[in-house]
Amino acid sequence: MAAKGTILADHLPKNKGFLMIDGLPPLTCVSLTLPEVSTNVTTRPDQTVQSGGTRAPVEITFSIPEHHTLEVFAMDQWIRDNIDPISPTAKKNGRVIKPSGTNLSTRIWAITGAVAQSYKPDDVEMENEGEMSVATYKLMADDLTLQA
């Protein structure tokens, strides 16, 4: 039994996680921001709250290295699929996978109905000493659900 306040050896490290989107190559995320998942809430005239019965859409932001050409072009094509005429494959499902240090414990979140909303290439900074350039993307999805 672990002592109170100690972190167990098989924790989920913040620097280990993967983003997999159906139909795209595996994305090498150097940063991945997961959303707060919430339900829609309405306020009644008597100022009490009531669940709206549905979840609010979620926003997922991530960055990939710009020199990962296959990933950057796949993301560019997905964004283009979301511009008129909208492709039937514009909405995609995926997974966020966070393995533990020993891979004995893993958290998997299912992404449902994701749309590639925007991207921003990195700026050029002449005083920079060669730091890796990344492209940042924003996805909007219908839901993010814990699976395991």
Side-chain angles (χ1 to χ4, degrees), residues 23-45:
L24 298 182
L27 300 171
T28 309
C29 297
V30 294
S31 71
L32 174 59
T33 304
L34 297 177
E36 177 180 354
V37 179
S38 62
T39 58
N40 289 315
V41 176
T42 185
T43 304
R44 294 178 169 177

Side-chain angles (χ1 to χ4, degrees), residues 16-130:
K16 197 173 182 185
F18 308 96
L19 177 61
M20 308 292 290
I21 301 293
D22 296 346
L24 298 182
L27 300 171
T28 309
C29 297
V30 294
S31 71
L32 174 59
T33 304
L34 297 177
E36 177 180 354
V37 179
S38 62
T39 58
N40 289 315
V41 176
T42 185
T43 304
R44 294 178 169 177
D46 65 357
Q47 299 303 304
T48 59
V49 293
Q50 172 68 42
S51 171
T54 59
R55 281 194 165 171
V58 296
E59 179 180 301
I60 299 168
T61 305
F62 63 95
S63 297
I64 60 175
E66 283 189 347
H67 67 277
H68 287 207
T69 306
L70 182 64
E71 299 169 41
V72 170
F73 276 101
M75 286 301 304
D76 182 68
Q77 183 58 53
W78 187 19
I79 288 172
R80 291 176 187 276
D81 287 348
N82 285 281
I83 300 171
D84 278 336
I86 297 173
S87 166
T89 60
K91 267 191 150 179
K92 298 185 182 299
N93 297 325
R95 292 157 309 292
V96 173
I97 303 166
K98 290 177 76 176
S100 67
T102 63
N103 290 326
L104 295 175
S105 176
T106 301
R107 289 291 165 264
I108 301 172
W109 286 270
I111 302 168
T112 309
V115 173
Q117 182 182 15
S118 65
Y119 76 98
K120 181 186 181 316
D122 229 345
D123 296 330
V124 174
E125 300 171 358
M126 298 308 285
E127 70 275 1
N128 192 296
E129 294 184 18

